[in-house]
Structures are given as structure tokens and as C-alpha cells.
Amino acid sequence: MHPARPTVGGHETLAHPGAAPSHHDPAPVAPDSHRRHDHDQAVVPAQAFSMGDADGAGNLGDGETPVHEVRLAAFSIDATTVTNAAFARFVADTGYRTESERFGYSAVFHLLLRADLDDVVGQPPQTPWWLGVRGADWAHPAGPRSSLDGLAEHPVVQVSWNDALAYCAWAGRRLPTEAEWECASRGGLAGRRYPWGDEWHEGQRCNIWQGRFPAVNTLADGWLGTAPVREFAPNGYGLWQSVGNVWEWCSDWWAEGYYASSPADNPTGPVTGEQRSMRGGSYLCHDSYCNRYRNSARASNTADSAAGNVGFRTVALT
């Protein structure tokens, strides 16, 4: 079992070991006219906005402050996270193998496990709800006995940052910066905690954990794992589920203190780092341990790590 690393929500999953891809694995390919990313787009107008945690809800060490003005050029971002159906087209077209497939295992939440016990290769003692499962990958998100049946319009998961970049190369797209992601998630509402405002209605706005984590989920929102990408309601820019459901990879390197020195115009994150940024929280977020289903919330993980609650959305090239 490979060692655990810190990950989303301030807890741990089993990180991939960082091995180099096999020379037999196909390289990402440039897009052409028949390789089409067909997700609806949300157009975010050029603007200045206040980035960061304005109401003190942030978690210590997540680097959500200071609140600072950011000026962005207009951009076009996926209205939803990339779906299983879209990722399947990419794989069928290129033969790409994800890092979870190459490494042979990935992280699965214990209540979603669909595998023989012999396939469980690790369980971090600090976060026993995460299991390292042999045969868990994007096409078998809960383990080798799972499949994508009925999940075509759910977000693809078990994809690393590197996998997301490979998809972007095929699609002629890119990952959003943290600044773009937060601006898009806010939907034009200045300083609000959630994409829809500040009010909270349990089980009605987004897919997170309800009940007693990690053992009892009341399913008030209707979902134990991922929900379809168009569940609930979109924000003011037309983005669906930017918070909850799955964490979303961003292009930036992550640094806790970056906001203190971030440039005002179109910031792209630190020039180097050890982990990549993620945004939005997931179906496992709960106030008792992870208050990160907010516009300003931040997390990170290594670029080769994947889990059953991590996906991505893309941005159009300019």
C-alpha cells in the first residue's frame, strides 16, 4: 500500500505513487473536427470581483483570505462538470488509460464500495471511510464490481489532474484558473457564500452529506454518491452544481498564502508547487468536518491523485 497524503476536506485518501506513465500508454492527441466537446457553455463576462472568504466561514490553513479584487477577461466555461459519457468518448477515440488504471487502484468511499474484500488494498487510519480499492477507476468508480450503468450524465470521477489535462488536450480546452472558477461559481452575486446567495435549505440546493458522517446519510438531497450533472438549479451564469457533488480540478498550483501576493489581472496561481488546486466540495462535505461547499473554499491534492469524489469542468481556449 502506498502512503496516504493530505487531500480534499482536510483529510486523507490513498494517493497514487507518482510513477511515470507506461511507454505503451497513448499520448494525448490534438483535437480535430470530429473530436467534439459537446457540453453547454456558460459565458462569464469580463469583470472585477472580490475573491476570497468575505464572512469568516473559511477553514484555517485553506488560504481563503485576504479578500482581494481580481479583474478577469471574459471566458466561456462548461455549464456542468465533464460527464461519464463525454469522458467515454475521449477514451474510445484515443485509447487513453487513466492513472488509476495504470496504478491499479484508487480511493473509494466505504459506503459505496462494490468490490470483494480482497480488492481493498489500504485504509488510512486517520480517515477509515476511504478505501484503496484495486480495480477502481473512471469506468468502475466504486470498485471492480461497479459500472457506469445509469451514470452517463453523472460527473466522471476517479480522474487525476493529469487525466483532466489529457482530456483538455483532446477537446481543445483547458482547466479553469482558481480565479475563473470562483468568479463563475459566484454567478454574479458579489460576496455571497453559495452560488445562489447566503441562505441555506437542507437537501434542496446541492449534493452534500446529510446526517452523521461518515456512517449515516439521511439522503435528504436524494443522493449517497454523485448526482446527475444537471440536478438542482443553475446559478446566475448558468453553471450547475459548482458546489457539492464533486471536487473540480483547477489549473493552478496551490499555495496557502497566494492571495496576499496575487496579481489583480487574470491571476493564474503560483509558478511552482507540490499540489494542484481543487474547488467546490463534494457529496461528502458536511459541516461537522468539511465546510467547503462554498464559493471561496479551496483544497488541493497531488496531480496524480484520484478519488471517487473528484472530477473537473473545462474552459474554452481564447
Side-chain angles (χ1 to χ4, degrees):
M1 184 184 77
H2 297 290
R5 296 175 186 251
T7 187
V8 293
H11 293 275
E12 296 177 336
T13 62
L14 295 170
H16 289 145
S22 164
H23 293 298
H24 299 291
D25 292 322
V29 293
D32 66 28
S33 59
H34 79 277
R35 298 185 174 103
R36 186 171 301 169
H37 176 79
D38 63 356
H39 285 38
D40 290 342
Q41 297 297 292
V43 177
V44 180
Q47 63 188 276
F49 80 104
S50 293
M51 184 173 181
D53 172 27
D55 62 4
N59 298 286
L60 184 65
D62 283 359
E64 296 184 44
T65 57
V67 176
H68 55 293
E69 183 175 278
V70 169
R71 296 183 292 271
L72 293 177
F75 61 97
S76 177
I77 188 170
D78 291 337
T80 71
T81 49
V82 172
T83 63
N84 284 311
F87 201 80
R89 289 194 297 273
F90 157 61
V91 170
D93 199 21
T94 65
Y96 181 81
R97 294 178 68 235
T98 61
E99 293 193 295
S100 292
E101 291 171 285
R102 284 176 257 165
F103 295 139
Y105 74 94
S106 200
V108 175
F109 182 66
H110 71 122
L111 294 184
L112 297 174
L113 180 67
R114 296 294 181 269
D116 296 332
L117 291 182
D118 288 347
D119 290 323
V120 177
V121 298
Q123 187 174 21
Q126 299 300 317
T127 54
W129 47 87
W130 280 116
L131 306 174
V133 179
R134 186 185 296 112
D137 56 51
W138 76 273
H140 308 88
R145 291 196 171 192
S146 65
S147 73
L148 297 181
D149 289 349
L151 301 179
E153 294 305 309
H154 284 234
V156 65
V157 295
Q158 303 292 9
V159 286
S160 68
W161 186 89
N162 294 322
D163 297 331
L165 232 59
Y167 177 94
C168 286
W170 166 80
R173 310 279 294 179
R174 64 177 175 84
L175 292 176
T177 66
E178 277 202 82
E180 288 171 334
W181 188 97
E182 183 170 325
C183 181
S185 182
R186 290 188 178 280
L189 299 179
R192 301 300 186 180
R193 182 176 293 190
Y194 307 113
W196 55 84
D198 289 327
E199 73 282 2
W200 182 254
H201 301 287
E202 184 76 9
Q204 298 179 26
R205 295 288 197 175
C206 64
N207 178 19
I208 63 169
W209 189 275
Q210 299 92 37
R212 180 170 53 83
F213 187 87
V216 178
N217 190 329
T218 66
L219 304 182
D221 58 23
W223 304 97
L224 177 61
T226 60
V229 296
R230 291 181 182 273
E231 192 75 1
F232 306 102
N235 72 3
Y237 290 147
L239 271 74
W240 298 75
Q241 295 201 76
S242 57
V243 302
N245 216 24
V246 294
W247 285 97
E248 301 179 21
W249 289 112
C250 291
S251 61
D252 307 34
W253 289 108
W254 187 88
E256 177 185 343
Y258 178 67
Y259 284 7
S261 59
S262 172
D265 293 315
N266 300 304
T268 57
V271 295
T272 61
E274 296 181 354
Q275 300 195 346
R276 294 291 182 174
S277 295
M278 296 186 293
R279 289 302 200 107
S282 81
Y283 59 82
L284 296 181
C285 275
H286 188 269
D287 280 346
S288 66
Y289 82 104
C290 170
N291 181 26
R292 291 178 176 86
Y293 47 96
R294 295 174 291 105
N295 291 322
S296 64
R298 308 175 70 209
S300 64
N301 208 345
T302 56
D304 62 354
S305 291
N309 66 339
V310 180
F312 67 102
R313 73 178 76 211
T314 72
V315 168
L317 300 176
T318 55

